[in-house]
Amino acid sequence: MTQAIQKTLRDSAGMRWTALLLLALAMFCAYIFMDILSPIKDLMQETRGWDSTAFGTMQGSEVFLNVFVFFLIFAGIILDKMGVRFTMLLSTVVMLVGAFIKWYAVSDSFMGSGLETWFNNNLNYIPIFDELGVSPFYEGMPASAKFAACGFMVFGCGCEMAGITVSRGIVKWFKGREMALAMGSEMALARLGVATCMIFSPFFARLGGEVSVSRSVAFGVVLMCIALMMTIVYFFMDQKLDAQTGEAEEKDDPFKVSDIGKILTDSGFWIVALLCVLYYSAIFPFQKYAVNMLQCNLTLIAPDADSFWASSSVTIIQYVIMLVVAAAGFASNFQKNKNMQFGLLGLSIIALIAYCYMGYMRQSAESIFAVFPLLAVLITPILGSYLDHHGKAASMLVLGSVLLIACHLTFAFVLPAFKDSPVGGIVIAYATILVLGASFSLVPASLWPSVPKLVDAKVIGSAYALIFWIQNIGLWLFPLLIGKVLDKTNPGVTDPTQFDYTAPLVMLACLGVAALILGFVLKAVDKKKGIGLELPNITE
């Protein structure tokens, strides 16, 4: 029996990490599409008439159905009933459909069409939702933003379903092994999608000297097709694993709705869920405005149109350097040979400096913010390995909250003070963005592997779904709030590069303060109840 178990795919490190790579690449593509319009907020206002309220309402619509139609709860039930591979394939197909709708909404074909007329004349009032103040549309919202919001809602259903499925899939392949390292590594790779989006979305939008925002979205649609291919390959790997182990998630110990009550009555679960909504609400909504925030708080002078720094080739070179930073930094953590380890680490640091220098020379806010995940990629294996072998997950969350508060307050008060310093402002921006990205890596590496310690194995999918649903409330609310706060605190400002971002950034810092308090509460609950959040993930 022992010999048979050792021959399964899950027991092979190579196959285990291949499965993880397929899941991570699918989420990498999803993360790119999620923020595909974020670095071109100014172009959306100039070409489609989306003010900050319209932009924020559209961005918040991604999670509308998950929150208010409870789709995420159904997604968790589907996951527990149907298993990882079916749910992952379904979620990718749903994402692709939503991506295509969003692309058409911002395309030139939509403008002047009968569909645009219909959206102009309809969805201006949604009964009940309007009364509650949570409608995803409003009177006067551009038709393209309304239709894009519809597509983004569909995409969001698939994306969040994929998120809980990937977490469940990693638990399936890595439980009792290097699970924190696996979850952290998956998110590190997936978050390179944020950097990729920041680099290439403006690149495609301005390709050939003619602005076309639909080209950026089309780039994202193509990547979602690639994500579907990755998911299909994973489907067959997972199917073979179940054939080897005899597992059948949808048949053994069937899910009962009453099991949700067991999850909801656990205080540890609620603290983790609230930590997620606070922490993620201070990061993901910020990403959607970060490029515009930098445009408003830095003095950026575009290079001459005929110079190397304004050429399209520099974008490709800079992205290749970014990949060197990520790959060398990530790989350095797995080297047993000290010379090789420090050599790769040195290469990563040199490449990072080169990348930052190119971003400065390009005077590009989007390429500056693209460093966001790079330090996270470097330190995530370190954090994951430490948590797997030594624990201290709750303590890591407290540290992440402190860094989160410091970064948002730096953006709010320190960065604007250096606006007249072309070099100093960019240096502060780079340093703060890198630290913010590093703090973000603490969440997947420490929090998500803790969920299996809180709930029974048969309802892990539902537990992740409930956490994601609560988290999605913040992801719906805060993009909308940031947009409204921007418009309210910047009356009469029409230039999208002249907004004052102080109020929204202070609001996000307050979320960090609340997360910090909850982090200490979680440590106290863990100590009292012996949940084991501070214990290692690897069991001997």
Side-chain angles (χ1 to χ4, degrees):
M1 182 65 181
T2 302
Q3 188 176 8
I5 292 175
Q6 290 177 341
K7 294 180 180 178
T8 64
L9 293 179
R10 183 165 51 200
D11 208 59
S12 165
M15 298 308 294
R16 204 162 60 234
W17 286 91
T18 298
L20 178 74
L21 182 63
L22 292 170
L23 293 173
L25 286 174
M27 294 308 296
F28 170 81
C29 296
Y31 268 56
I32 292 175
F33 193 86
M34 186 189 304
D35 278 316
I36 200 70
L37 295 181
S38 300
I40 53 174
K41 177 181 181 291
D42 56 330
L43 298 182
M44 297 309 298
Q45 182 165 340
E46 293 169 6
T47 63
R48 294 296 184 268
W50 295 13
D51 60 12
S52 294
T53 299
F55 183 83
T57 303
M58 191 286 302
Q59 294 283 36
S61 68
E62 177 196 356
V63 296
F64 181 84
L65 295 178
N66 291 323
V67 173
F68 295 104
V69 188
F70 303 103
F71 181 81
L72 255 178
I73 307 300
F74 296 120
I77 295 174
I78 292 171
L79 175 57
D80 282 328
K81 296 283 282 185
M82 303 302 295
V84 172
R85 60 180 175 272
F86 172 85
T87 311
M88 191 65 196
L89 186 61
L90 174 63
S91 64
T92 312
V93 171
V94 171
M95 282 193 286
L96 182 58
V97 171
F100 184 82
I101 294 172
K102 186 173 178 179
W103 165 77
Y104 182 72
V106 299
S107 69
D108 293 336
S109 300
F110 178 77
M111 298 179 68
S113 67
L115 195 58
E116 181 185 34
T117 302
W118 189 90
F119 272 93
N120 273 323
N121 297 330
N122 294 276
L123 300 181
N124 294 314
Y125 171 75
I126 310 295
I128 301 177
F129 289 108
D130 266 277
E131 279 73 14
L132 294 174
V134 298
S135 176
F137 314 109
Y138 60 87
E139 188 169 1
M141 186 176 181
S144 58
K146 287 181 185 176
F147 194 34
C150 292
F152 213 22
M153 288 180 200
V154 176
F155 173 85
C157 289
C159 189
E160 297 303 318
M161 183 193 290
I164 60 173
T165 305
V166 166
S167 297
R168 175 69 176 266
I170 293 174
V171 170
K172 179 177 182 178
W173 284 80
F174 285 87
K175 189 171 184 179
R177 297 177 173 88
E178 55 280 90
M179 188 160 59
L181 176 60
M183 287 194 172
S185 299
E186 181 271 326
M187 287 308 299
L189 178 58
R191 285 188 184 128
L192 279 178
V194 177
T196 303
C197 171
M198 297 300 160
I199 291 286
F200 283 107
S201 180
F203 171 78
F204 284 109
R206 297 186 174 96
L207 190 64
E210 181 183 350
V211 173
S212 173
V213 294
S214 65
R215 279 198 300 260
S216 295
V217 186
F219 164 65
V221 172
V222 171
L223 290 176
M224 289 314 305
C225 293
I226 296 174
L228 180 59
M229 297 176 192
M230 297 296 101
T231 304
I232 291 172
V233 176
Y234 174 82
F235 182 95
F236 290 108
M237 280 191 67
D238 191 84
Q239 188 176 51
K240 185 174 181 179
L241 175 64
D242 280 0
Q244 291 177 330
T245 62
E247 293 177 2
E249 296 169 313
E250 65 272 25
K251 295 179 182 179
D252 293 344
D253 205 2
F255 170 84
K256 301 184 185 71
V257 175
S258 59
D259 290 332
I260 294 179
K262 300 176 183 178
I263 302 172
L264 295 179
T265 54
D266 188 284
S267 60
F269 165 82
W270 274 108
I271 296 172
V272 168
L274 290 174
L275 267 168
C276 280
V277 70
L278 292 168
Y279 205 92
Y280 278 83
S281 294
I283 297 285
F284 281 124
F286 170 72
Q287 285 178 191
K288 300 180 186 303
Y289 291 87
V291 170
N292 187 234
M293 183 275 295
L294 292 175
Q295 290 170 339
C296 296
N297 287 316
L298 294 174
T299 300
L300 300 172
I301 302 173
D304 294 335
D306 57 350
S307 72
F308 167 74
W309 300 110
S311 66
S312 57
S313 59
V314 74
T315 302
I316 308 299
I317 295 171
Q318 193 176 20
Y319 187 67
V320 171
I321 293 175
M322 174 193 294
L323 294 180
V324 172
V325 175
F330 190 81
S332 69
N333 292 280
F334 300 92
Q335 303 301 315
K336 295 182 179 179
N337 184 298
K338 290 295 183 182
N339 291 332
M340 180 64 74
Q341 181 182 23
F342 288 115
L344 286 171
L345 182 60
L347 174 62
S348 179
I349 293 172
I350 292 171
L352 177 60
I353 294 171
Y355 175 90
C356 293
Y357 173 75
M358 293 183 74
Y360 168 74
M361 293 302 294
R362 291 183 65 192
Q363 294 286 288
S364 164
E366 49 267 26
S367 66
I368 291 172
F369 185 70
V371 301
F372 176 68
L374 295 187
L375 188 57
V377 173
L378 174 62
I379 69 170
T380 293
I382 300 173
L383 293 172
S385 179
Y386 183 87
L387 289 164
D388 283 328
H389 292 91
H390 303 287
K392 303 298 181 184
S395 299
M396 290 289 185
L397 289 170
V398 170
L399 175 60
S401 299
V402 171
L403 294 176
L404 179 70
I405 296 166
C407 289
H408 281 312
L409 292 180
T410 299
F411 285 133
F413 299 108
V414 179
L415 187 60
F418 283 82
K419 185 172 184 178
D420 295 332
S421 174
V423 177
I426 291 180
V427 169
I428 290 172
Y430 271 133
T432 310
I433 292 166
L434 284 167
V435 173
L436 183 65
S439 75
F440 198 19
S441 69
L442 294 167
V443 175
S446 57
L447 198 58
W448 297 124
S450 301
V451 176
K453 297 178 181 179
L454 296 169
V455 299
D456 292 337
K458 71 172 182 175
V459 292
I460 287 176
S462 297
Y464 278 124
L466 285 168
I467 292 174
F468 273 57
W469 177 73
I470 295 167
Q471 170 191 312
N472 271 220
I473 295 174
L475 300 187
W476 159 77
L477 178 62
F478 282 93
L480 177 63
L481 279 181
I482 293 172
K484 287 183 177 294
V485 170
L486 273 178
D487 281 338
K488 291 292 185 182
T489 56
N490 293 273
V493 177
T494 57
D495 185 343
T497 64
Q498 298 299 318
F499 291 122
D500 181 354
Y501 268 85
T502 303
L505 289 168
V506 170
M507 177 176 67
L508 297 178
C510 290
L511 293 179
V513 173
L516 177 62
I517 295 170
L518 274 179
F520 284 116
V521 173
L522 182 62
K523 283 174 66 69
V525 171
D526 177 57
K527 185 176 182 179
K528 181 179 179 181
K529 293 192 173 184
I531 298 172
L533 298 182
E534 296 280 82
L535 298 178
N537 293 311
I538 292 180
T539 55
E540 299 297 336

